[in-house]
Amino acid sequence: DGRSHHHKHFENPVVVPPVPAYKAFHWNPLCGSSFKSSILLATIMTDMYSYTVVPEDSQFGSLSPVTRERVANSLWAITLLLLLAGFHDNIFWERLVTFSVMHARRFLYLVGGSPLVFPAQLRIAYAVWVALGTYIPVLWLMMPITACGLPALLFFGYCPLARMLYLLPWNRQHGLDASTLWRLVVEPPGPGRFQLSQPKATSK
């Protein structure tokens, strides 16, 4: 009868499996989920960007900007000396790798232990760069490249590697397009961490 049918209906309910997050936010022209995906991605990237900022309560964060620059430049100067000596004797490049790893570990400690904090990111990336150029013969050109980049950093404040790292989505708060990539190259260096300045609004 109707009651038994109603009873059986609730005895065997239809269970709808949960929808995975990556499917819940796929592009759908009918419901506008692409916009939701963009908002979700932007939120995630903004949250990740906050982890790249030097914590104020870290040892490095408690230093004045002038002291930070002096500490950083002194270590990069030692790096440059080892790098240039390596063109005379490759044994110095092996020592450069060791020093760069120690440099990265030291800064990882100074910024509180997070490899996402930008100064730590930069030094980890540099240690990987010189290790690849030193120990993989086909990548030896990476050493002359950094031999151009380090003097640009020390004498002009222009760091090519920092600008390359800016391309990673968690290191920036803006999208990328052709004009942004061009500005990434020609933007003059400024104090502190590299950031692209906001383009000036044009008046009509």
Side-chain angles (χ1 to χ4, degrees), residues 4 24 29 36 41 60 62 76 78 94 106 152 159 166 185 204:
S4 62
K36 296 178 182 178
L41 182 61
F60 193 65
S62 63
W76 287 126
I78 297 172
E94 296 180 10
R106 181 60 180 172
C159 183
Y166 183 84
V185 177
K204 296 182 179 180

Side-chain angles (χ1 to χ4, degrees), residues 80 83-84 145-158:
L80 179 60
L83 175 63
L84 296 178
I145 291 174
T146 187
C148 297
L150 267 183
L153 169 62
L154 286 170
F155 296 115
F156 306 107
Y158 186 101

Side-chain angles (χ1 to χ4, degrees), residues 132-144:
L132 293 174
T134 298
Y135 294 112
I136 301 180
V138 295
L139 299 179
W140 68 271
L141 276 175
M142 297 178 75
M143 307 307 279

Side-chain angles (χ1 to χ4, degrees), residues 11 46 62 68 77 89 95 113 122-123 128 136 175 183 186 203:
E11 280 185 341
T46 301
S62 63
R68 289 189 198 184
D89 187 343
R95 294 172 182 173
L122 180 63
R123 287 152 179 85
V128 172
I136 301 180
R183 290 173 54 226
V186 302
S203 58

Side-chain angles (χ1 to χ4, degrees), residues 151-204:
L153 169 62
L154 286 170
F155 296 115
F156 306 107
Y158 186 101
C159 183
L161 184 56
R163 293 169 187 252
M164 292 170 61
L165 290 176
Y166 183 84
L167 294 170
L168 298 175
W170 53 83
N171 286 331
R172 52 186 166 82
Q173 295 178 299
H174 310 286
L176 290 178
D177 53 27
S179 64
T180 302
L181 293 175
W182 172 248
R183 290 173 54 226
L184 190 65
V185 177
V186 302
E187 182 91 3
R193 173 180 175 176
F194 171 76
Q195 289 287 345
L196 284 180
S197 60
Q198 291 288 346
K200 295 181 180 179
T202 55
S203 58
K204 296 182 179 180

Side-chain angles (χ1 to χ4, degrees), residues 2-198:
R3 287 180 300 174
S4 62
H5 177 74
H6 181 75
H7 179 68
K8 290 180 180 180
H9 176 73
F10 283 95
E11 280 185 341
N12 301 287
V14 178
V15 178
V16 180
V19 180
Y22 73 92
K23 289 185 177 181
F25 290 95
H26 72 292
W27 182 80
N28 188 331
L30 298 180
C31 65
S33 292
S34 59
F35 177 74
K36 296 178 182 178
S37 300
S38 300
I39 296 298
L40 176 65
L41 182 61
T43 303
I44 293 173
M45 290 300 102
T46 301
D47 290 343
M48 291 189 67
Y49 179 85
S50 65
Y51 289 103
T52 70
V53 178
V54 176
E56 293 183 1
D57 59 349
S58 66
Q59 293 189 38
F60 193 65
S62 63
L63 300 176
S64 68
V66 174
T67 304
R68 289 189 198 184
E69 185 176 359
R70 288 176 180 172
V71 170
N73 285 346
S74 63
L75 293 172
W76 287 126
I78 297 172
T79 302
L80 179 60
L81 292 176
L82 290 171
L83 175 63
L84 296 178
F87 288 100
H88 175 69
D89 187 343
N90 288 352
I91 190 65
F92 287 100
W93 283 352
E94 296 180 10
R95 294 172 182 173
L96 170 63
V97 173
T98 302
F99 179 78
S100 297
V101 170
M102 294 172 61
H103 186 179
R105 288 183 61 184
R106 181 60 180 172
F107 261 76
L108 189 61
Y109 170 76
L110 289 176
V111 299
S114 172
L116 278 179
V117 178
F118 194 77
Q121 274 192 67
L122 180 63
R123 287 152 179 85
I124 292 171
Y126 188 81
V128 172
W129 182 288
V130 294
L132 293 174
T134 298
Y135 294 112
I136 301 180
V138 295
L139 299 179
W140 68 271
L141 276 175
M142 297 178 75
M143 307 307 279
I145 291 174
T146 187
C148 297
L150 267 183
L153 169 62
L154 286 170
F155 296 115
F156 306 107
Y158 186 101
C159 183
L161 184 56
R163 293 169 187 252
M164 292 170 61
L165 290 176
Y166 183 84
L167 294 170
L168 298 175
W170 53 83
N171 286 331
R172 52 186 166 82
Q173 295 178 299
H174 310 286
L176 290 178
D177 53 27
S179 64
T180 302
L181 293 175
W182 172 248
R183 290 173 54 226
L184 190 65
V185 177
V186 302
E187 182 91 3
R193 173 180 175 176
F194 171 76
Q195 289 287 345
L196 284 180
S197 60
Q198 291 288 346

